[in-house]
Amino acid sequence: MSGKISRRQAVIGLSSTLLLPAACSRPGPETGPAEVFAHGVASGDPDRTSVVIWTRVSGFDGPADVGWEVAGDGDFQDVVASGRFATDRDRDHTVKVVVDNLAPGASYFYRFSVAGEASPIGRTKTLADGHMERLVIAIASCSNFPFGFFNAYDDIASDADVDVVAHLGDYIYEYSEDGYGGETGKRIGRVHEPRHEIISLDDYRTRHAQYKSDAGSRAMHGRHPLIVIWDDHESANNPWMHGAENHQANEGDWYERRAVSLQAFFEWMPVRDPEPGQPPEKYWRHYRFGDLASLVTLESRHTGRSEQIYWGDLTRFESAEEAQAYYRDVIGDDSRTFLSAELEAFVADSLRESVEAGRRWRVIGNQSVMARVVIPRLDDPYFGELRGELDGTGRRTLDGLVRRGELGVPGDLDAWSGYPAARERLFEIAKEAGARDLLVISGDSHSYWANALYDELGQSMGVEFGTTGITSPRGLLPIGEAALERYDRLAAAANREVIWTDGRYRGYIRLEIDHAGARADYVTVTNIETRDYDKRIVYTANIASENGELRYL
Ligand SMILES: [Fe+2]
C-alpha cells in the first residue's frame, strides 16, 4: 500500500531549496538512503467533516513549498481538496493541514509532493454521522524505540477493518542511550537519538523523528487515522502540574522543558494545533462516532495533577492497618486532584451530551489504569522458593511486592490508584450525567487488563480495558515470566475490580463495538527484537450493555 505513484502524477509543485543531506537532517529509516518523506505520512484527530493530514520533508535547510491532495480514490481521479503548505525550520519542516468540507464516515486517500518527489499515499477516514453499525479501535501505548521494533503497529496496519488507532501515550520516551531500554537497544541496533536524555526543543524533535522512522510506524500511520493523547514520557517520567520525577534542577526550568516537549509533539503529531491563545497543555477531546459511541480523551499530567505521593520506605509502617490508614487519609485526601476543574467540567458536558444524543457507548480514553488494584499477598511457598533463584534485581522486585502484599496497599501510585478521591469525583460526574456505563481504555502499565469499575458504594460504573506496551516490558518481569503469570493470577483473585490481567505480552487491544455489544481482543506479537513476528490473541473480553450498565459475558 506504500503505492509509489508516477512522477507525472505526483508532481504538484516544485521547490528550489532541496538539499540532500542537509544540516538539519533527522534520523531517517533504518535502512536505505535519506528520503524526502523519510518519516512517512499520517492523519488524525478526525471529526465528521475534517481530518488532519501530516508529513515531514527531509533535506531542506530553508523554506519548502509542499503540495497536498486528498481524493476519494487511490488513483487520485476524484480529488476533493488540494493546496500548498509552506514549511520551514521554525516548525522542523513538518507539514500539517486540517482538511475540511469532507463527507462524514468516508474514507479518503492523501499524498504530498515537494521538489519533484512524491510521498507515499496515506488513507484516512472521517467520523460517521447518524447511524454507525460498527466501530473498530486499535488501542496502543508505550512504544519505546530501544526495546524493540514496532511490529504491533505493523499488525495494526494490516487490519483493514480498523477505523481509528487510539494511542494512549508514551508514544516516545525521553531517556538517554543508557536509560530505560538502552541495553536492549544496543543489542538490536535501536539506540536512542540523540544519545542523551532529551531536554531541548531540538532534542525532542530528533527523538520524534527517530520514532517515526520505524517501518511499522510508517505503515500504521499511513493506513489509519490516529487519535492520540500524551502520557508522561512525551515530556519526562511522572510529571504533575509543577514538575516531574525525571526532571532535575540541573536540567533547567521545568515549564520551559514541558513547553518545548509539547511544541515538538504538536509539530510531529497529526493532531489539531491548540486554539490561538490556549495553553497547549489543555489537550482533550470528545470524538463522536455517529449514534454508536462517544470517545472522550483526558489529560492527566500537566493541567490538574497533584504531586505524586510515593510509598518510599515501607518498613515505617508497623501494620497493615497503619499503611491503609495512611493510604486513606494522606494519599486519599480530598484535596488531591488528577484532572483539572476545567477538564472535569468538559467531561461532565461531554457525557451528558452523549447520553442525550442516545449514543450506545461512552468510551473514556485515558493514560493510566483506573481500576483499584492492591498488591496480592504472596505468602504462597512458590515465591519463597523463587526468591532463592533470583538475581539481585529480581529479589528486590519480589521483596517490594511481598511487603506491599502484606500491607494490602496499591502498588502504582502514579496511576488512578494514587488519587482515589479524584477517581470518585470522576464517577460522581458520570453518575450526574446518567453515564454509569463507562468503557475506559488505558495505557501506561505495560500489562493487559480486563477490569470492572465500582464506585465507593460498590455500584457498577463500567469496565476498563488496559493495554500493554507496544514494546515496553512489564516492570515486574525481573521475577521471571512464570512467576509473573502466577502473580497476575493472584492479583486478579485479590482485587474485585480485576477480572483478568497478564503482563507477559507486548501488543495492543483490538476493540470492536456494535449496538449489541463490545469485544476486546488482546492481540500480542510474538517477537519485537527483529521485524519477524506472528500475532496471537491471548484473551478476549465480551461486554454487554443493558439498562445503562456494562457487564462481562
Ligand atoms: Fe510507558
Side-chain angles (χ1 to χ4, degrees):
M1 80 117 252
S2 66
K4 273 271 170 190
I5 48 179
S6 77
R7 272 300 148 78
R8 193 174 46 79
Q9 258 186 315
V11 177
I12 306 167
L14 294 168
S15 169
S16 54
T17 51
L18 185 66
L19 299 163
L20 276 173
C24 61
S25 68
R26 300 267 175 236
E30 300 108 13
T31 54
E35 297 168 37
V36 177
F37 295 99
H39 305 97
V41 300
S43 73
D45 210 353
D47 66 15
R48 286 166 181 160
T49 56
S50 68
V51 67
V52 173
I53 59 171
W54 178 97
T55 193
R56 198 261 178 180
V57 292
S58 298
F60 291 84
D61 214 12
D65 181 31
V66 181
W68 59 269
E69 282 184 304
V70 176
D73 64 315
D75 296 328
F76 288 82
Q77 298 298 307
D78 173 29
V79 173
V80 297
S82 63
R84 316 201 60 78
F85 187 93
T87 186
D88 57 24
R89 241 178 203 291
D90 290 348
R91 47 177 306 127
D92 203 20
H93 292 99
T94 58
V95 174
K96 192 193 284 191
V97 180
V98 181
V99 185
D100 52 19
N101 296 313
L102 299 174
S107 291
Y108 291 98
F109 297 81
Y110 62 95
R111 66 184 177 191
F112 302 89
S113 68
V114 69
E117 296 286 330
S119 77
I121 295 171
R123 280 209 218 185
T124 192
K125 205 171 179 182
T126 52
L127 304 189
D129 202 359
H131 185 65
M132 186 180 194
E133 199 54 54
R134 184 182 68 155
L135 170 65
V136 179
I137 307 179
I139 304 167
S141 80
C142 299
S143 34
N144 177 298
F145 191 89
F147 267 122
F149 292 85
F150 298 155
N151 292 340
Y153 283 174
D154 184 71
D155 192 57
I156 292 169
S158 72
D159 186 339
D161 293 333
V162 167
D163 291 292
V164 67
V165 176
H167 197 298
L168 301 177
D170 294 352
Y171 183 93
I172 62 164
Y173 281 75
E174 82 276 21
Y175 299 108
S176 75
E177 64 175 335
D178 300 316
Y180 187 57
E183 230 171 274
T184 311
K186 284 173 192 165
R187 183 157 48 78
I188 66 173
R190 283 170 74 91
V191 176
H192 258 157
E193 290 286 343
R195 303 285 171 121
H196 54 267
E197 182 177 324
I198 53 175
I199 292 169
S200 71
L201 176 59
D202 197 56
D203 293 343
Y204 280 99
R205 285 170 165 175
T206 301
R207 191 60 61 85
H208 273 282
Q210 181 179 35
Y211 278 58
K212 279 209 166 61
S213 71
D214 177 275
S217 170
R218 285 179 287 146
M220 178 181 80
H221 286 306
R223 186 64 185 80
H224 306 300
L226 180 75
I227 287 174
V228 60
I229 56 178
W230 59 64
D231 191 19
D232 50 339
H233 294 288
E234 283 83 354
S235 298
N237 187 53
N238 289 6
W240 56 289
M241 273 186 287
H242 305 298
E245 183 275 336
N246 192 26
H247 182 78
Q248 280 70 45
N250 65 2
E251 293 172 323
D253 179 67
W254 165 248
Y255 300 105
E256 212 168 284
R257 182 177 183 183
R258 183 173 84 183
V260 299
S261 73
L262 298 186
Q263 182 183 333
F265 179 91
F266 281 105
E267 286 171 352
W268 279 83
M269 288 299 193
V271 298
R272 290 160 211 268
D273 287 333
E275 295 289 326
Q278 280 295 313
E281 28 331 330
K282 292 187 183 180
Y283 175 56
W284 44 74
R285 301 274 191 271
H286 179 184
Y287 300 95
R288 297 163 177 88
F289 296 88
D291 61 352
L292 186 56
S294 280
L295 166 58
V296 181
T297 59
L298 308 184
E299 196 296 306
S300 66
R301 287 296 178 180
H302 307 306
T303 48
R305 182 190 280 254
S306 303
E307 188 167 8
Q308 294 85 349
I309 298 176
Y310 300 110
W311 280 119
D313 180 12
L314 286 166
T315 58
R316 72 187 190 277
F317 299 113
E318 277 173 16
S319 66
E321 290 68 34
E322 209 180 288
Q324 285 169 22
Y326 180 83
Y327 179 71
R328 190 185 57 234
D329 300 336
V330 179
I331 294 169
D333 189 279
D334 268 347
S335 67
R336 300 189 67 241
T337 54
F338 200 70
L339 309 178
S340 67
E342 192 180 337
L343 175 51
E344 286 182 346
F346 176 81
V347 173
D349 289 345
S350 301
L351 290 179
R352 203 171 305 120
E353 189 276 340
S354 178
V355 170
E356 279 165 13
R359 261 169 244 125
R360 193 82 179 89
W361 299 89
R362 272 148 288 285
V363 183
I364 304 283
N366 126 91
Q367 288 82 0
S368 310
V369 170
M370 193 178 283
R372 192 180 287 127
V373 185
V374 301
I375 307 289
R377 288 193 76 91
L378 301 179
D379 39 17
D380 178 337
Y382 172 88
F383 289 100
E385 273 169 44
L386 174 74
R387 192 174 184 283
E389 295 159 21
L390 292 173
D391 64 6
T393 315
R395 202 172 278 194
R396 273 192 302 280
T397 305
L398 182 60
D399 288 347
L401 289 175
V402 168
R403 180 65 182 145
R404 285 167 198 193
E406 284 166 359
L407 298 176
V409 292
D412 187 1
L413 297 184
D414 179 62
W416 283 92
S417 277
Y419 301 82
R423 189 183 105 126
E424 216 50 39
R425 210 156 38 243
L426 178 70
F427 288 165
E428 283 306 315
I429 288 166
K431 282 184 270 188
E432 275 167 33
R436 285 205 295 113
D437 57 353
L438 304 178
L439 196 166
V440 176
I441 56 175
S442 314
D444 181 50
S445 74
H446 310 174
S447 192
Y448 279 141
W449 302 87
N451 299 328
L453 301 170
Y454 299 95
D455 69 4
E456 263 172 0
L457 305 169
Q459 199 171 202
S460 172
M461 290 305 302
V463 301
E464 175 176 46
F465 300 142
T467 195
T468 189
I470 292 293
T471 56
S472 294
R474 178 83 160 128
L476 305 182
L477 261 178
I479 65 172
E481 278 211 7
L484 183 57
E485 185 191 10
R486 207 173 175 112
Y487 169 83
D488 281 333
R489 260 190 275 139
L490 291 172
N495 286 286
R496 181 189 185 202
E497 298 202 351
V498 180
I499 308 296
W500 170 79
T501 181
D502 202 320
R504 292 175 295 164
Y505 304 109
R506 312 282 70 82
Y508 65 99
I509 293 175
R510 183 186 190 277
L511 173 63
E512 184 168 333
I513 290 173
D514 62 24
H515 289 264
R519 171 192 168 108
D521 286 319
Y522 293 74
V523 186
T524 183
V525 290
T526 53
N527 178 43
I528 56 170
E529 296 205 346
T530 64
R531 291 232 158 276
D532 298 320
Y533 70 95
D534 290 315
K535 74 188 293 183
R536 195 153 69 86
I537 295 171
V538 293
Y539 189 79
T540 295
N542 282 293
I543 300 294
S545 167
E546 284 166 3
N547 309 319
E549 285 191 24
L550 304 187
R551 65 179 178 84
Y552 281 85
L553 294 173

